[in-house]
Amino acid sequence: MAAAAGAAPARASFALRQAQVPVGKISNVRSVSLPIGGRSFPSLKARRFQVSCAAKPATVDKVCQIVRKQLALPDDATVTGDSKFANLGADSLDTVEIVMGLEEEFGISVEEESAQSITTVQEAADMIEKLIEKK
Amino acid sequence: MALKLNPHVAAAAASPSRKLASFAMPPVANVGLRSPRFFMASTLRSDSREVENSKKPFMPPREVHVQVTHSLPPQKIEIFKSMEDWADKNILVHLKPVEKCWQAQDFLPDPASDGFEEQVRELRERAKEIPDDYFVVLVGDMVTEEALPTYQTMLNTLDGVRDETGASLTPWAIWTRAWTAEENRHGDLLNKYLYLSGRVDMRQIEKTIQYLIGSGMDPRTENNPYLGFIYTSFQERATFISHGNTARLAKEHGDVKLAQICGTIASDEKRHETAYTKIVEKLFDIDPNGTVSAFADMMRKKISMPAHLMFDGRDDNLFEHFSAVAQRLGVYTAKDYADILEFLVGRWKVEELTGLSAEGRKAQEYVCTLPPRIRRLEERAQGRAKEGSIVPFSWIFDRKLKL
């Protein structure tokens, strides 16, 4: 069963989003100093480490909901920010439909290139907020 | 299930970014997941621009998926042996005796007649009235037909039904050879027509054919006749639709003889479609779970077009470009892909299957709900489709067409 597109890896502007710094862990951290591009960032919110491009929890939750619906996941399946679509069982068609669902839900329009770079819930949520901001 | 990693493919698989796989849908340049042509073939290139170090100039594309072999469990190969009597009585009847068959000469100027030159002149006069974009699509179809050696090969990769000696007398082998012989006339006829028309660059076309036969194709049927016959069922219907459309368009452009050529080819394809769908129908009777799973598997992998690796020595995205024009002209479209799938679901009564295993039910659900998903995707994407770019086609002497 193929995910037809070899998705280009997400180009995160912050090292934060690379594998070494799992988002899941950071959400539990109250304050963290992380060297990013040579600078340290204190956490900005108590609940999660927030970098300017990280999405609100509400957005992430909405994305999770849409993903659950698209993939018809059982209630006990875990879907979080760092869940990868492919690991949840999404094929390439599912991914496109997820993005379409996000467009409908948030009233945004997603560019080809951006759509192809989304592989996780968090990436989708971040992109959505960026697009909403632009509007 | 033996996994044979083709060394070229392994190298390609390491490439960091790839375009979409080729599917039996006409593609458009710059296609991504979101465009109307999601299901349409974007040529999957192993030597895409991103793979800098290994790119050689003027290299035809290669398959990039891992090539899987022999996925049919050995005990199921028996099924095809036990079907031989049935095939003899029910499938070979769809072949036409050679004495009753049309030949290319029936549709072309007669070189042995005094009127030959006049007939050729008339053919060229009619061809002048037909636009370039039609010819590009006709050439693409002709190139596809001329790659026939690849398709006979593909049929002979299938376990349980292959022609073991080249002259085997099993009904399967008889079918394959006779099918090949019938198909052979299609390429011959289109080739001669295009040659006489004077509208196209025959040398570039011939080069394209040589590249394509050299490239082959892997339709991902894994030596598995379940997958193989589902694939051919889909393809025969696709070619029937495609040639039917070129026939209709030829008529619109005032060339009744060309319309007859395309229409005659289309009727062969229809007969072949009948035979292949009958085989799969029988498989659904014998092994509903296996067959419905095979159907879902082929649809998940997406049906790739036989000529998706086409190359003319100049255009790295030739298949994409050709398919875009075919889509624009309505010769073969994303909608056709969905229609064919829906037709097959109905033809094989997939919705009515009962007593399936859990896996079978999942496959059934997938296949039955797929056509509307494809249509929805296509509708939405059509609404956002950008203006097509303009590209040259070497087949028409580098004249340019809108995609």
Side-chain angles (χ1 to χ4, degrees), chain B residues 191-228:
Chain B
N191 195 329
K192 286 179 188 166
Y193 171 81
L194 289 171
Y195 166 72
L196 291 173
S197 74
R199 295 280 283 115
V200 295
D201 186 341
M202 287 311 293
R203 193 178 200 286
Q204 274 304 115
I205 294 169
E206 287 156 0
K207 213 196 312 174
T208 306
I209 295 167
Q210 186 174 358
Y211 271 123
L212 186 56
I213 297 175
S215 294
M217 76 158 312
D218 175 15
R220 308 182 72 177
T221 47
E222 303 171 5
N223 308 113
N224 181 332
Y226 285 68
L227 301 179

mmCIF file of all heavy atoms in Angstrom, chain B residues 191-228:
data_model
loop_
_atom_site.group_PDB
_atom_site.id
_atom_site.type_symbol
_atom_site.label_atom_id
_atom_site.label_comp_id
_atom_site.label_asym_id
_atom_site.label_seq_id
_atom_site.Cartn_x
_atom_site.Cartn_y
_atom_site.Cartn_z
ATOM 1 N N ASN B 191 0.624 3.515 -37.076
ATOM 2 C CA ASN B 191 1.944 3.881 -37.596
ATOM 3 C C ASN B 191 1.852 4.278 -39.069
ATOM 4 O O ASN B 191 2.327 5.346 -39.478
ATOM 5 C CB ASN B 191 2.893 2.692 -37.416
ATOM 6 C CG ASN B 191 4.355 3.083 -37.584
ATOM 7 O OD1 ASN B 191 4.681 3.996 -38.332
ATOM 8 N ND2 ASN B 191 5.234 2.387 -36.884
ATOM 9 N N LYS B 192 1.218 3.447 -39.844
ATOM 10 C CA LYS B 192 1.125 3.733 -41.269
ATOM 11 C C LYS B 192 0.305 4.985 -41.535
ATOM 12 O O LYS B 192 0.636 5.798 -42.402
ATOM 13 C CB LYS B 192 0.553 2.531 -42.024
ATOM 14 C CG LYS B 192 1.570 1.405 -42.134
ATOM 15 C CD LYS B 192 1.032 0.178 -42.853
ATOM 16 C CE LYS B 192 2.047 -0.944 -42.740
ATOM 17 N NZ LYS B 192 1.510 -2.257 -43.098
ATOM 18 N N TYR B 193 -0.766 5.138 -40.770
ATOM 19 C CA TYR B 193 -1.576 6.336 -40.958
ATOM 20 C C TYR B 193 -0.755 7.590 -40.667
ATOM 21 O O TYR B 193 -0.741 8.547 -41.450
ATOM 22 C CB TYR B 193 -2.840 6.318 -40.063
ATOM 23 C CG TYR B 193 -3.537 7.649 -40.119
ATOM 24 C CD1 TYR B 193 -4.389 7.971 -41.173
ATOM 25 C CD2 TYR B 193 -3.259 8.633 -39.162
ATOM 26 C CE1 TYR B 193 -4.958 9.232 -41.269
ATOM 27 C CE2 TYR B 193 -3.824 9.893 -39.252
ATOM 28 C CZ TYR B 193 -4.674 10.190 -40.316
ATOM 29 O OH TYR B 193 -5.224 11.449 -40.408
ATOM 30 N N LEU B 194 -0.070 7.572 -39.529
ATOM 31 C CA LEU B 194 0.711 8.746 -39.137
ATOM 32 C C LEU B 194 1.827 9.025 -40.138
ATOM 33 O O LEU B 194 2.122 10.177 -40.462
ATOM 34 C CB LEU B 194 1.286 8.562 -37.730
ATOM 35 C CG LEU B 194 0.254 8.632 -36.599
ATOM 36 C CD1 LEU B 194 0.874 8.209 -35.266
ATOM 37 C CD2 LEU B 194 -0.316 10.041 -36.477
ATOM 38 N N TYR B 195 2.429 7.956 -40.632
ATOM 39 C CA TYR B 195 3.490 8.094 -41.636
ATOM 40 C C TYR B 195 2.969 8.799 -42.876
ATOM 41 O O TYR B 195 3.536 9.785 -43.345
ATOM 42 C CB TYR B 195 4.030 6.704 -41.976
ATOM 43 C CG TYR B 195 4.879 6.622 -43.223
ATOM 44 C CD1 TYR B 195 6.167 7.153 -43.236
ATOM 45 C CD2 TYR B 195 4.404 6.007 -44.383
ATOM 46 C CE1 TYR B 195 6.954 7.074 -44.380
ATOM 47 C CE2 TYR B 195 5.187 5.926 -45.524
ATOM 48 C CZ TYR B 195 6.461 6.451 -45.522
ATOM 49 O OH TYR B 195 7.237 6.371 -46.657
ATOM 50 N N LEU B 196 1.831 8.325 -43.372
ATOM 51 C CA LEU B 196 1.288 8.905 -44.597
ATOM 52 C C LEU B 196 0.757 10.319 -44.390
ATOM 53 O O LEU B 196 0.774 11.137 -45.293
ATOM 54 C CB LEU B 196 0.163 8.016 -45.145
ATOM 55 C CG LEU B 196 0.604 6.670 -45.703
ATOM 56 C CD1 LEU B 196 -0.619 5.819 -46.048
ATOM 57 C CD2 LEU B 196 1.492 6.837 -46.933
ATOM 58 N N SER B 197 0.301 10.621 -43.176
ATOM 59 C CA SER B 197 -0.360 11.906 -42.936
ATOM 60 C C SER B 197 0.557 13.104 -43.177
ATOM 61 O O SER B 197 0.084 14.177 -43.550
ATOM 62 C CB SER B 197 -0.880 11.981 -41.500
ATOM 63 O OG SER B 197 0.201 12.176 -40.593
ATOM 64 N N GLY B 198 1.852 12.915 -42.915
ATOM 65 C CA GLY B 198 2.777 14.029 -43.090
ATOM 66 C C GLY B 198 2.699 15.079 -41.999
ATOM 67 O O GLY B 198 3.371 16.104 -42.063
ATOM 68 N N ARG B 199 1.904 14.822 -40.979
ATOM 69 C CA ARG B 199 1.700 15.837 -39.938
ATOM 70 C C ARG B 199 2.653 15.710 -38.778
ATOM 71 O O ARG B 199 2.706 16.585 -37.909
ATOM 72 C CB ARG B 199 0.250 15.722 -39.414
ATOM 73 C CG ARG B 199 -0.801 16.045 -40.452
ATOM 74 C CD ARG B 199 -0.990 17.537 -40.614
ATOM 75 N NE ARG B 199 -1.773 18.081 -39.517
ATOM 76 C CZ ARG B 199 -1.324 18.943 -38.624
ATOM 77 N NH1 ARG B 199 -0.088 19.395 -38.690
ATOM 78 N NH2 ARG B 199 -2.099 19.385 -37.641
ATOM 79 N N VAL B 200 3.395 14.612 -38.720
ATOM 80 C CA VAL B 200 4.202 14.350 -37.528
ATOM 81 C C VAL B 200 5.628 13.945 -37.875
ATOM 82 O O VAL B 200 5.899 13.507 -38.993
ATOM 83 C CB VAL B 200 3.547 13.243 -36.659
ATOM 84 C CG1 VAL B 200 2.213 13.716 -36.111
ATOM 85 C CG2 VAL B 200 3.371 11.966 -37.456
ATOM 86 N N ASP B 201 6.519 14.089 -36.909
ATOM 87 C CA ASP B 201 7.935 13.763 -37.094
ATOM 88 C C ASP B 201 8.150 12.278 -36.795
ATOM 89 O O ASP B 201 8.346 11.882 -35.646
ATOM 90 C CB ASP B 201 8.771 14.644 -36.152
ATOM 91 C CG ASP B 201 10.269 14.492 -36.367
ATOM 92 O OD1 ASP B 201 10.688 13.468 -36.978
ATOM 93 O OD2 ASP B 201 11.028 15.372 -35.935
ATOM 94 N N MET B 202 8.122 11.486 -37.857
ATOM 95 C CA MET B 202 8.176 10.037 -37.674
ATOM 96 C C MET B 202 9.453 9.588 -36.972
ATOM 97 O O MET B 202 9.431 8.651 -36.178
ATOM 98 C CB MET B 202 8.050 9.302 -39.012
ATOM 99 C CG MET B 202 6.659 9.315 -39.616
ATOM 100 S SD MET B 202 5.354 8.832 -38.454
ATOM 101 C CE MET B 202 5.742 7.106 -38.167
ATOM 102 N N ARG B 203 10.563 10.248 -37.267
ATOM 103 C CA ARG B 203 11.811 9.811 -36.649
ATOM 104 C C ARG B 203 11.762 9.982 -35.131
ATOM 105 O O ARG B 203 12.178 9.102 -34.384
ATOM 106 C CB ARG B 203 12.988 10.589 -37.232
ATOM 107 C CG ARG B 203 14.286 9.947 -36.855
ATOM 108 C CD ARG B 203 15.519 10.617 -37.432
ATOM 109 N NE ARG B 203 16.631 9.688 -37.402
ATOM 110 C CZ ARG B 203 17.297 9.338 -36.297
ATOM 111 N NH1 ARG B 203 16.976 9.877 -35.137
ATOM 112 N NH2 ARG B 203 18.286 8.465 -36.349
ATOM 113 N N GLN B 204 11.237 11.128 -34.682
ATOM 114 C CA GLN B 204 11.112 11.353 -33.243
ATOM 115 C C GLN B 204 10.170 10.318 -32.619
ATOM 116 O O GLN B 204 10.409 9.827 -31.509
ATOM 117 C CB GLN B 204 10.575 12.764 -32.956
ATOM 118 C CG GLN B 204 11.658 13.829 -32.907
ATOM 119 C CD GLN B 204 12.732 13.495 -31.885
ATOM 120 O OE1 GLN B 204 13.893 13.254 -32.244
ATOM 121 N NE2 GLN B 204 12.355 13.453 -30.629
ATOM 122 N N ILE B 205 9.114 9.999 -33.337
ATOM 123 C CA ILE B 205 8.161 9.003 -32.837
ATOM 124 C C ILE B 205 8.826 7.637 -32.749
ATOM 125 O O ILE B 205 8.682 6.914 -31.759
ATOM 126 C CB ILE B 205 6.920 8.958 -33.742
ATOM 127 C CG1 ILE B 205 6.165 10.292 -33.636
ATOM 128 C CG2 ILE B 205 6.006 7.792 -33.380
ATOM 129 C CD1 ILE B 205 5.085 10.476 -34.678
ATOM 130 N N GLU B 206 9.566 7.296 -33.778
ATOM 131 C CA GLU B 206 10.240 6.000 -33.796
ATOM 132 C C GLU B 206 11.240 5.898 -32.647
ATOM 133 O O GLU B 206 11.379 4.860 -31.995
ATOM 134 C CB GLU B 206 10.918 5.780 -35.153
ATOM 135 C CG GLU B 206 9.893 5.483 -36.257
ATOM 136 C CD GLU B 206 10.375 5.820 -37.664
ATOM 137 O OE1 GLU B 206 11.524 6.304 -37.822
ATOM 138 O OE2 GLU B 206 9.589 5.620 -38.621
ATOM 139 N N LYS B 207 11.920 7.011 -32.408
ATOM 140 C CA LYS B 207 12.870 7.047 -31.295
ATOM 141 C C LYS B 207 12.146 6.824 -29.967
ATOM 142 O O LYS B 207 12.608 6.087 -29.093
ATOM 143 C CB LYS B 207 13.574 8.412 -31.275
ATOM 144 C CG LYS B 207 15.004 8.327 -30.795
ATOM 145 C CD LYS B 207 15.651 9.599 -30.386
ATOM 146 C CE LYS B 207 15.553 10.794 -31.261
ATOM 147 N NZ LYS B 207 16.166 11.983 -30.571
ATOM 148 N N THR B 208 10.996 7.489 -29.852
ATOM 149 C CA THR B 208 10.205 7.347 -28.625
ATOM 150 C C THR B 208 9.832 5.889 -28.388
ATOM 151 O O THR B 208 9.910 5.391 -27.269
ATOM 152 C CB THR B 208 8.923 8.201 -28.717
ATOM 153 O OG1 THR B 208 9.273 9.547 -29.029
ATOM 154 C CG2 THR B 208 8.166 8.187 -27.392
ATOM 155 N N ILE B 209 9.436 5.217 -29.470
ATOM 156 C CA ILE B 209 9.049 3.806 -29.352
ATOM 157 C C ILE B 209 10.254 2.974 -28.921
ATOM 158 O O ILE B 209 10.142 2.099 -28.049
ATOM 159 C CB ILE B 209 8.491 3.281 -30.695
ATOM 160 C CG1 ILE B 209 7.188 4.001 -31.041
ATOM 161 C CG2 ILE B 209 8.268 1.774 -30.635
ATOM 162 C CD1 ILE B 209 6.726 3.793 -32.466
ATOM 163 N N GLN B 210 11.406 3.255 -29.516
ATOM 164 C CA GLN B 210 12.584 2.463 -29.154
ATOM 165 C C GLN B 210 12.924 2.648 -27.668
ATOM 166 O O GLN B 210 13.216 1.677 -26.962
ATOM 167 C CB GLN B 210 13.786 2.849 -30.028
ATOM 168 C CG GLN B 210 14.981 1.934 -29.770
ATOM 169 C CD GLN B 210 16.158 2.169 -30.696
ATOM 170 O OE1 GLN B 210 16.108 3.014 -31.589
ATOM 171 N NE2 GLN B 210 17.235 1.431 -30.480
ATOM 172 N N TYR B 211 12.857 3.903 -27.220
ATOM 173 C CA TYR B 211 13.105 4.148 -25.791
ATOM 174 C C TYR B 211 12.089 3.407 -24.928
ATOM 175 O O TYR B 211 12.439 2.801 -23.919
ATOM 176 C CB TYR B 211 12.977 5.638 -25.475
ATOM 177 C CG TYR B 211 14.240 6.450 -25.619
ATOM 178 C CD1 TYR B 211 14.288 7.549 -26.468
ATOM 179 C CD2 TYR B 211 15.381 6.143 -24.863
ATOM 180 C CE1 TYR B 211 15.443 8.319 -26.588
ATOM 181 C CE2 TYR B 211 16.535 6.919 -24.981
ATOM 182 C CZ TYR B 211 16.558 8.003 -25.839
ATOM 183 O OH TYR B 211 17.690 8.766 -25.949
ATOM 184 N N LEU B 212 10.823 3.474 -25.345
ATOM 185 C CA LEU B 212 9.764 2.926 -24.493
ATOM 186 C C LEU B 212 9.867 1.413 -24.375
ATOM 187 O O LEU B 212 9.762 0.860 -23.279
ATOM 188 C CB LEU B 212 8.385 3.332 -25.019
ATOM 189 C CG LEU B 212 7.205 2.941 -24.136
ATOM 190 C CD1 LEU B 212 7.362 3.496 -22.717
ATOM 191 C CD2 LEU B 212 5.884 3.420 -24.733
ATOM 192 N N ILE B 213 10.094 0.744 -25.488
ATOM 193 C CA ILE B 213 10.240 -0.714 -25.419
ATOM 194 C C ILE B 213 11.452 -1.063 -24.562
ATOM 195 O O ILE B 213 11.433 -2.006 -23.780
ATOM 196 C CB ILE B 213 10.354 -1.341 -26.819
ATOM 197 C CG1 ILE B 213 9.066 -1.094 -27.620
ATOM 198 C CG2 ILE B 213 10.623 -2.843 -26.718
ATOM 199 C CD1 ILE B 213 9.126 -1.562 -29.063
ATOM 200 N N GLY B 214 12.507 -0.236 -24.695
ATOM 201 C CA GLY B 214 13.694 -0.456 -23.871
ATOM 202 C C GLY B 214 13.413 -0.250 -22.390
ATOM 203 O O GLY B 214 13.995 -0.908 -21.537
ATOM 204 N N SER B 215 12.522 0.656 -22.070
ATOM 205 C CA SER B 215 12.217 0.938 -20.668
ATOM 206 C C SER B 215 11.313 -0.102 -20.045
ATOM 207 O O SER B 215 11.418 -0.399 -18.860
ATOM 208 C CB SER B 215 11.537 2.303 -20.534
ATOM 209 O OG SER B 215 12.418 3.328 -20.892
ATOM 210 N N GLY B 216 10.399 -0.629 -20.819
ATOM 211 C CA GLY B 216 9.440 -1.583 -20.263
ATOM 212 C C GLY B 216 8.480 -0.890 -19.317
ATOM 213 O O GLY B 216 8.274 0.313 -19.396
ATOM 214 N N MET B 217 7.885 -1.661 -18.458
ATOM 215 C CA MET B 217 7.060 -1.089 -17.392
ATOM 216 C C MET B 217 6.798 -2.149 -16.336
ATOM 217 O O MET B 217 6.790 -3.347 -16.639
ATOM 218 C CB MET B 217 5.714 -0.591 -17.930
ATOM 219 C CG MET B 217 4.757 -1.718 -18.212
ATOM 220 S SD MET B 217 3.022 -1.309 -18.258
ATOM 221 C CE MET B 217 2.758 -0.353 -16.812
ATOM 222 N N ASP B 218 6.575 -1.693 -15.113
ATOM 223 C CA ASP B 218 6.169 -2.605 -14.050
ATOM 224 C C ASP B 218 4.813 -2.144 -13.541
ATOM 225 O O ASP B 218 4.736 -1.167 -12.810
ATOM 226 C CB ASP B 218 7.177 -2.597 -12.903
ATOM 227 C CG ASP B 218 6.716 -3.443 -11.714
ATOM 228 O OD1 ASP B 218 5.773 -4.243 -11.872
ATOM 229 O OD2 ASP B 218 7.300 -3.300 -10.626
ATOM 230 N N PRO B 219 3.752 -2.821 -13.944
ATOM 231 C CA PRO B 219 2.431 -2.383 -13.494
ATOM 232 C C PRO B 219 2.125 -2.814 -12.058
ATOM 233 O O PRO B 219 1.027 -2.609 -11.569
ATOM 234 C CB PRO B 219 1.472 -3.099 -14.469
ATOM 235 C CG PRO B 219 2.219 -4.252 -14.999
ATOM 236 C CD PRO B 219 3.686 -4.004 -14.822
ATOM 237 N N ARG B 220 3.126 -3.385 -11.387
ATOM 238 C CA ARG B 220 3.012 -3.821 -9.995
ATOM 239 C C ARG B 220 2.023 -4.969 -9.840
ATOM 240 O O ARG B 220 1.270 -5.041 -8.874
ATOM 241 C CB ARG B 220 2.647 -2.640 -9.084
ATOM 242 C CG ARG B 220 3.622 -1.478 -9.306
ATOM 243 C CD ARG B 220 3.343 -0.319 -8.409
ATOM 244 N NE ARG B 220 3.720 -0.621 -7.037
ATOM 245 C CZ ARG B 220 3.626 0.250 -6.044
ATOM 246 N NH1 ARG B 220 3.154 1.459 -6.266
ATOM 247 N NH2 ARG B 220 3.975 -0.085 -4.821
ATOM 248 N N THR B 221 2.049 -5.853 -10.826
ATOM 249 C CA THR B 221 1.183 -7.018 -10.760
ATOM 250 C C THR B 221 1.895 -8.213 -10.128
ATOM 251 O O THR B 221 1.277 -9.257 -9.938
ATOM 252 C CB THR B 221 0.666 -7.376 -12.159
ATOM 253 O OG1 THR B 221 1.756 -7.367 -13.088
ATOM 254 C CG2 THR B 221 -0.353 -6.342 -12.628
ATOM 255 N N GLU B 222 3.187 -8.054 -9.801
ATOM 256 C CA GLU B 222 3.878 -8.999 -8.907
ATOM 257 C C GLU B 222 3.777 -10.458 -9.333
ATOM 258 O O GLU B 222 3.705 -11.346 -8.478
ATOM 259 C CB GLU B 222 3.321 -8.847 -7.476
ATOM 260 C CG GLU B 222 3.449 -7.419 -6.951
ATOM 261 C CD GLU B 222 2.713 -7.174 -5.649
ATOM 262 O OE1 GLU B 222 2.163 -8.140 -5.073
ATOM 263 O OE2 GLU B 222 2.675 -6.014 -5.218
ATOM 264 N N ASN B 223 3.758 -10.748 -10.614
ATOM 265 C CA ASN B 223 3.615 -12.112 -11.148
ATOM 266 C C ASN B 223 2.299 -12.747 -10.711
ATOM 267 O O ASN B 223 2.138 -13.964 -10.820
ATOM 268 C CB ASN B 223 4.746 -13.049 -10.680
ATOM 269 C CG ASN B 223 6.103 -12.474 -10.929
ATOM 270 O OD1 ASN B 223 6.823 -12.147 -9.987
ATOM 271 N ND2 ASN B 223 6.468 -12.336 -12.192
ATOM 272 N N ASN B 224 1.395 -11.928 -10.229
ATOM 273 C CA ASN B 224 0.164 -12.423 -9.622
ATOM 274 C C ASN B 224 -0.978 -12.271 -10.609
ATOM 275 O O ASN B 224 -1.351 -11.145 -10.945
ATOM 276 C CB ASN B 224 -0.083 -11.608 -8.351
ATOM 277 C CG ASN B 224 -1.315 -12.040 -7.595
ATOM 278 O OD1 ASN B 224 -2.265 -12.558 -8.165
ATOM 279 N ND2 ASN B 224 -1.301 -11.806 -6.299
ATOM 280 N N PRO B 225 -1.548 -13.370 -11.120
ATOM 281 C CA PRO B 225 -2.590 -13.256 -12.146
ATOM 282 C C PRO B 225 -3.865 -12.573 -11.658
ATOM 283 O O PRO B 225 -4.585 -11.983 -12.463
ATOM 284 C CB PRO B 225 -2.864 -14.708 -12.565
ATOM 285 C CG PRO B 225 -2.223 -15.565 -11.547
ATOM 286 C CD PRO B 225 -1.173 -14.767 -10.860
ATOM 287 N N TYR B 226 -4.129 -12.628 -10.368
ATOM 288 C CA TYR B 226 -5.269 -11.862 -9.865
ATOM 289 C C TYR B 226 -5.044 -10.388 -10.181
ATOM 290 O O TYR B 226 -5.888 -9.707 -10.766
ATOM 291 C CB TYR B 226 -5.398 -11.991 -8.339
ATOM 292 C CG TYR B 226 -5.936 -13.292 -7.800
ATOM 293 C CD1 TYR B 226 -5.212 -14.479 -7.891
ATOM 294 C CD2 TYR B 226 -7.162 -13.330 -7.148
ATOM 295 C CE1 TYR B 226 -5.696 -15.665 -7.364
ATOM 296 C CE2 TYR B 226 -7.649 -14.512 -6.598
ATOM 297 C CZ TYR B 226 -6.912 -15.673 -6.714
ATOM 298 O OH TYR B 226 -7.384 -16.849 -6.177
ATOM 299 N N LEU B 227 -3.861 -9.885 -9.762
ATOM 300 C CA LEU B 227 -3.527 -8.486 -10.007
ATOM 301 C C LEU B 227 -3.424 -8.223 -11.504
ATOM 302 O O LEU B 227 -3.878 -7.197 -12.000
ATOM 303 C CB LEU B 227 -2.199 -8.127 -9.325
ATOM 304 C CG LEU B 227 -2.124 -8.314 -7.808
ATOM 305 C CD1 LEU B 227 -0.726 -7.946 -7.302
ATOM 306 C CD2 LEU B 227 -3.167 -7.471 -7.099
ATOM 307 N N GLY B 228 -2.806 -9.167 -12.213
ATOM 308 C CA GLY B 228 -2.592 -8.998 -13.652
ATOM 309 C C GLY B 228 -3.886 -8.829 -14.426
ATOM 310 O O GLY B 228 -4.010 -7.917 -15.245
#
